[in-house]
mmCIF file of all heavy atoms in Angstrom:
data_model
loop_
_atom_site.group_PDB
_atom_site.id
_atom_site.type_symbol
_atom_site.label_atom_id
_atom_site.label_comp_id
_atom_site.label_asym_id
_atom_site.label_seq_id
_atom_site.Cartn_x
_atom_site.Cartn_y
_atom_site.Cartn_z
ATOM 1 N N ASP B 104 -4.079 -8.305 6.926
ATOM 2 C CA ASP B 104 -4.154 -9.308 8.015
ATOM 3 C C ASP B 104 -2.742 -9.415 8.586
ATOM 4 O O ASP B 104 -1.774 -9.790 7.851
ATOM 5 C CB ASP B 104 -4.483 -10.703 7.386
ATOM 6 C CG ASP B 104 -4.402 -11.893 8.389
ATOM 7 O OD1 ASP B 104 -4.156 -11.639 9.577
ATOM 8 O OD2 ASP B 104 -4.625 -12.990 7.998
ATOM 9 N N ASP B 105 -2.661 -8.962 9.843
ATOM 10 C CA ASP B 105 -1.381 -9.048 10.458
ATOM 11 C C ASP B 105 -1.360 -10.039 11.621
ATOM 12 O O ASP B 105 -0.492 -9.955 12.541
ATOM 13 C CB ASP B 105 -1.039 -7.627 11.086
ATOM 14 C CG ASP B 105 -1.910 -7.101 12.122
ATOM 15 O OD1 ASP B 105 -3.003 -7.771 12.458
ATOM 16 O OD2 ASP B 105 -1.649 -6.037 12.727
ATOM 17 N N SER B 106 -2.186 -11.094 11.487
ATOM 18 C CA SER B 106 -2.321 -12.103 12.640
ATOM 19 C C SER B 106 -1.065 -12.908 12.646
ATOM 20 O O SER B 106 -0.885 -13.556 13.743
ATOM 21 C CB SER B 106 -3.513 -12.939 12.355
ATOM 22 O OG SER B 106 -3.446 -13.632 11.123
ATOM 23 N N ARG B 107 -0.185 -12.888 11.686
ATOM 24 C CA ARG B 107 1.109 -13.665 11.762
ATOM 25 C C ARG B 107 2.318 -12.644 11.874
ATOM 26 O O ARG B 107 3.416 -13.049 11.453
ATOM 27 C CB ARG B 107 1.239 -14.570 10.554
ATOM 28 C CG ARG B 107 0.118 -15.656 10.599
ATOM 29 C CD ARG B 107 0.314 -16.654 9.464
ATOM 30 N NE ARG B 107 0.059 -15.968 8.167
ATOM 31 C CZ ARG B 107 0.544 -16.461 7.025
ATOM 32 N NH1 ARG B 107 1.176 -17.676 7.011
ATOM 33 N NH2 ARG B 107 0.357 -15.895 5.902
ATOM 34 N N ALA B 108 2.114 -11.508 12.335
ATOM 35 C CA ALA B 108 3.144 -10.424 12.430
ATOM 36 C C ALA B 108 3.414 -10.112 13.921
ATOM 37 O O ALA B 108 3.531 -8.913 14.242
ATOM 38 C CB ALA B 108 2.768 -9.291 11.561
ATOM 39 N N GLY B 109 3.459 -11.132 14.800
ATOM 40 C CA GLY B 109 3.614 -10.877 16.177
ATOM 41 C C GLY B 109 4.851 -10.037 16.467
ATOM 42 O O GLY B 109 5.908 -10.219 15.850
ATOM 43 N N GLY B 110 4.649 -9.075 17.312
ATOM 44 C CA GLY B 110 5.703 -8.131 17.691
ATOM 45 C C GLY B 110 5.799 -6.891 16.815
ATOM 46 O O GLY B 110 6.551 -5.937 17.099
ATOM 47 N N TRP B 111 4.994 -6.852 15.723
ATOM 48 C CA TRP B 111 5.013 -5.711 14.761
ATOM 49 C C TRP B 111 3.680 -4.958 14.785
ATOM 50 O O TRP B 111 3.554 -3.999 14.075
ATOM 51 C CB TRP B 111 5.242 -6.263 13.425
ATOM 52 C CG TRP B 111 6.627 -6.706 13.021
ATOM 53 C CD1 TRP B 111 7.182 -7.911 13.349
ATOM 54 C CD2 TRP B 111 7.693 -5.849 12.457
ATOM 55 N NE1 TRP B 111 8.507 -7.908 12.869
ATOM 56 C CE2 TRP B 111 8.795 -6.622 12.340
ATOM 57 C CE3 TRP B 111 7.733 -4.597 11.976
ATOM 58 C CZ2 TRP B 111 10.003 -6.205 11.761
ATOM 59 C CZ3 TRP B 111 8.884 -4.060 11.394
ATOM 60 C CH2 TRP B 111 10.022 -4.912 11.380
ATOM 61 N N GLU B 112 2.785 -5.316 15.710
ATOM 62 C CA GLU B 112 1.431 -4.784 15.695
ATOM 63 C C GLU B 112 1.445 -3.209 15.813
ATOM 64 O O GLU B 112 0.708 -2.530 15.090
ATOM 65 C CB GLU B 112 0.546 -5.378 16.799
ATOM 66 C CG GLU B 112 0.279 -6.794 16.667
ATOM 67 C CD GLU B 112 1.339 -7.674 17.274
ATOM 68 O OE1 GLU B 112 2.429 -7.216 17.707
ATOM 69 O OE2 GLU B 112 1.164 -8.915 17.222
ATOM 70 N N ALA B 113 2.192 -2.670 16.673
ATOM 71 C CA ALA B 113 2.223 -1.192 16.875
ATOM 72 C C ALA B 113 2.814 -0.512 15.624
ATOM 73 O O ALA B 113 2.337 0.504 15.193
ATOM 74 C CB ALA B 113 2.954 -0.762 18.179
ATOM 75 N N ALA B 114 3.870 -1.117 15.168
ATOM 76 C CA ALA B 114 4.502 -0.548 13.920
ATOM 77 C C ALA B 114 3.533 -0.510 12.747
ATOM 78 O O ALA B 114 3.443 0.389 11.858
ATOM 79 C CB ALA B 114 5.754 -1.237 13.626
ATOM 80 N N ILE B 115 2.859 -1.632 12.580
ATOM 81 C CA ILE B 115 1.941 -1.754 11.421
ATOM 82 C C ILE B 115 0.797 -0.767 11.579
ATOM 83 O O ILE B 115 0.421 -0.090 10.673
ATOM 84 C CB ILE B 115 1.295 -3.236 11.367
ATOM 85 C CG1 ILE B 115 2.427 -4.211 11.033
ATOM 86 C CG2 ILE B 115 0.124 -3.324 10.431
ATOM 87 C CD1 ILE B 115 2.085 -5.721 11.190
ATOM 88 N N ALA B 116 0.305 -0.635 12.830
ATOM 89 C CA ALA B 116 -0.846 0.255 13.089
ATOM 90 C C ALA B 116 -0.416 1.750 12.759
ATOM 91 O O ALA B 116 -1.162 2.514 12.110
ATOM 92 C CB ALA B 116 -1.375 0.206 14.501
ATOM 93 N N ALA B 117 0.799 2.065 13.144
ATOM 94 C CA ALA B 117 1.357 3.368 12.918
ATOM 95 C C ALA B 117 1.585 3.598 11.414
ATOM 96 O O ALA B 117 1.332 4.678 10.790
ATOM 97 C CB ALA B 117 2.609 3.578 13.566
ATOM 98 N N GLY B 118 2.143 2.605 10.654
ATOM 99 C CA GLY B 118 2.309 2.657 9.185
ATOM 100 C C GLY B 118 1.014 2.761 8.491
ATOM 101 O O GLY B 118 0.961 3.631 7.538
ATOM 102 N N VAL B 119 0.073 1.978 8.789
ATOM 103 C CA VAL B 119 -1.345 2.140 8.214
ATOM 104 C C VAL B 119 -1.869 3.565 8.478
ATOM 105 O O VAL B 119 -2.416 4.117 7.627
ATOM 106 C CB VAL B 119 -2.197 0.987 8.730
ATOM 107 C CG1 VAL B 119 -3.707 1.322 8.425
ATOM 108 C CG2 VAL B 119 -1.841 -0.378 8.182
#
Side-chain angles (χ1 to χ4, degrees):
D104 175 5
D105 64 354
S106 62
R107 296 185 295 160
W111 286 85
E112 295 86 354
I115 293 166
V119 165

